[in-house]
Amino acid sequence: MPKLELIATATFGLEAVIKREIENLGYKILKVEDSKITYLGDESAIVRSNLWLRCADRVLLKMGEFPVYSFEELYQQTKALPWEEWIPLDGKFTVNGSSVKSKLFSVPDCQSIVKKAIVDRLKEFYQCEWFSETGAEFTTKVTILKDIATLTIDTSGPGLHKRGYRVKDVFAPIKETLASALIQLSFWKSDRILADPFCGSGTIPIEAAMLAKKIAPGLNRKFASEEWPGIPAELWKKYRKEAYDSIDYNLSLQIIASDIDAKAIAAAKENALEAGVDDCIEFKVMPVSEFKITQPYGIIICNPPYGERIGEKENLNLIYRDLKNLLKNEKTWSLYLITSDKNFETIFSQKPADRRRKLYNGRIEVTYYQYFGEKPAKTEKNY
């Protein structure tokens, strides 16, 4: 199969995690930039990337990249690309766009020109004057950054964070892609206890269980490229079966998901059932002040309330103090906490975090604070 250039788009700060995921799938990385990773693959890479990438936002097929300084250049170079290799006669193709620090700054004009160039190319190839656009979706994007245009087709459809298991939701959930990244950025392993005392609708515990049991995040959803004639249906069947066969049904896990909100726990239970991991998560309705540590070398990964609304700040400080009291005599436990609250570190601990990472939860800038507990005696690799 011919090699294709693919782009995995990323939330800022997660590029290294997604790069590792792509390399684990066996694909060669070409370039890592802010919010995107470009790599080489073939048609099967489109399938496997959509099924298996846990932290990427989307998988894009890169059609071309070139400098542009005029609308005529944009038209001609877009038209020169082999759109007919992917878009069939009845293909539906909308064009989105963005432009940053470029001479061609009018995004609507750029979108219109790219659309016209694609239509003109397909008219010549299919020898027709009109397209019904009733078939599969080929969402195209023209991104112009510093006068370099990149044209892509979205292979994913709805964002990859939409796993399909979230049947019940609560206020301000964390995205599934970010939750999985938090787990992969921690030192948690499946033989250690994991707790989330602010689990909400259960996203962090569910993502941890799916990761440990090797459940492909895209296994139970559909993708835009499943309808594309250029990707044989047999590939989707083959790699979906491969994903089902890879699930570790016998793995024993210790994951505790608790929250003070009974409705949140009810939602989390339903979501875990839908994800197929309800048998390995223990759900509890309780505040963090009642959480009991019963064994050493556990890990807490959590996304507590941010206190963005008026009147919540005092309650948030109490939560931090409860966490501090929970862990002050537990030197073997590690804490990984994401928050937008700049005062967290001061309230929680007299010492700074062992590691911090700037991330984004949606449009909110957050920090991932990491406090490392002592290493388990049985191994020097896990802590």
Side-chain angles (χ1 to χ4, degrees):
M1 291 183 179
K3 289 292 183 181
L4 307 171
E5 282 195 43
L6 302 175
I7 297 173
T9 62
T11 298
F12 180 82
L14 301 186
E15 296 88 354
V17 181
I18 298 167
K19 174 178 179 286
R20 185 166 64 242
E21 288 190 312
I22 293 168
E23 288 174 332
N24 288 341
L25 288 174
Y27 301 118
K28 180 182 178 181
I29 304 294
L30 297 178
K31 188 165 35 172
V32 178
E33 303 167 271
D34 286 350
S35 301
K36 70 176 187 178
I37 299 90
T38 305
Y39 60 107
L40 278 179
D42 53 19
E43 285 85 350
S44 65
I46 294 175
V47 177
R48 295 179 69 230
S49 297
N50 277 297
L51 287 173
W52 282 104
L53 291 183
R54 298 180 188 276
C55 304
D57 293 331
R58 296 179 182 279
V59 177
L60 309 178
L61 171 63
K62 183 176 174 181
M63 293 297 294
E65 188 171 85
F66 42 79
V68 286
Y69 303 100
S70 68
F71 289 130
E72 180 63 20
E73 284 180 320
L74 178 61
Y75 172 84
Q76 292 297 344
Q77 298 210 60
T78 299
K79 188 181 178 187
L81 297 173
W83 299 98
E84 69 281 354
E85 291 182 1
W86 292 99
I87 303 177
L89 183 60
D90 65 347
K92 180 182 179 182
F93 52 101
T94 53
V95 178
N96 301 318
S98 66
S99 179
V100 178
K101 298 179 180 178
S102 299
K103 288 183 173 61
L104 303 185
F105 57 85
S106 172
V107 173
D109 286 341
C110 292
Q111 291 174 184
S112 297
I113 287 164
V114 167
K115 176 82 173 185
K116 182 177 186 329
I118 296 172
V119 168
D120 288 350
R121 169 88 184 199
L122 295 179
K123 277 182 178 179
E124 292 176 9
F125 182 82
Y126 290 114
Q127 295 294 298
C128 67
E129 289 298 319
W130 181 79
F131 298 97
S132 64
E133 297 198 49
T134 57
E137 184 80 43
F138 297 83
T139 302
T140 301
K141 185 170 184 180
V142 50
T143 302
I144 307 179
L145 175 62
K146 296 180 181 178
D147 298 316
I148 301 296
T150 304
L151 284 100
T152 59
I153 305 177
D154 179 15
T155 75
S156 300
L160 294 182
H161 71 281
K162 297 193 174 184
R163 319 287 206 216
Y165 65 70
R166 188 174 278 179
V167 291
K168 285 292 181 70
D169 228 331
V170 294
F171 175 74
I174 190 171
K175 269 189 175 182
E176 294 86 336
T177 44
L178 179 57
S180 186
L182 299 185
I183 297 155
Q184 294 186 56
L185 287 167
S186 78
F187 290 107
W188 178 67
K189 303 294 181 185
S190 61
D191 60 348
R192 298 179 64 178
I193 187 169
L194 172 66
D196 179 359
F198 314 99
C199 73
S201 56
T203 308
I204 291 175
I206 290 169
E207 288 295 324
M210 291 178 66
L211 178 65
K213 297 185 71 131
K214 299 178 182 177
I215 299 175
L219 192 55
N220 294 313
R221 56 158 286 177
K222 296 292 185 181
F223 303 96
S225 49
E226 282 191 70
E227 306 298 323
W228 294 6
I231 302 179
E234 289 73 20
L235 281 181
W236 289 99
K237 292 178 183 177
K238 173 185 175 181
Y239 289 111
R240 271 210 163 87
K241 181 181 184 303
E242 185 180 275
Y244 276 113
D245 291 343
S246 74
I247 298 174
D248 187 347
Y249 293 100
N250 299 316
L251 181 66
S252 178
L253 294 171
Q254 286 185 288
I255 300 177
I256 299 173
S258 59
D259 200 285
I260 196 171
D261 186 347
K263 290 183 178 179
I265 291 297
K269 286 180 177 179
E270 286 197 47
N271 292 339
L273 179 65
E274 190 70 19
V277 296
D278 56 306
D279 59 333
C280 51
I281 303 174
E282 181 182 359
F283 293 99
K284 297 180 179 182
V285 178
M286 66 177 184
V288 66
S289 59
E290 295 180 10
F291 190 95
K292 303 297 181 185
I293 291 176
T294 59
Q295 56 184 287
Y297 303 111
I299 288 181
I300 292 174
I301 302 178
C302 61
N303 173 42
Y306 291 170
E308 297 288 329
R309 293 182 293 184
I310 296 173
E312 291 184 343
K313 199 69 177 178
E314 187 175 339
N315 288 336
L316 193 57
N317 291 343
L318 289 174
I319 287 173
Y320 296 161
R321 293 190 184 102
D322 287 339
L323 265 179
K324 182 178 181 178
N325 291 333
L326 173 66
L327 295 172
K328 66 181 179 181
N329 296 319
E330 296 295 337
K331 294 182 180 180
T332 67
W333 274 60
S334 300
L335 172 67
Y336 297 83
L337 181 145
I338 187 171
T339 181
S340 65
D341 187 356
K342 303 296 184 184
N343 295 320
F344 165 74
E345 203 169 11
T346 303
I347 298 169
F348 175 73
S349 178
Q350 292 181 348
K351 68 170 188 174
D354 294 297
R355 188 176 294 171
R356 300 177 204 83
R357 183 183 288 260
K358 178 182 172 182
L359 299 171
Y360 283 87
N361 186 5
R363 294 185 177 182
I364 301 174
E365 181 183 324
V366 295
T367 301
Y368 192 33
Y369 295 98
Q370 305 174 41
Y371 294 86
F372 304 147
E374 294 176 359
K375 300 178 184 179
K378 61 182 178 180
T379 174
E380 290 296 310
K381 293 183 179 179
N382 296 333
Y383 67 99

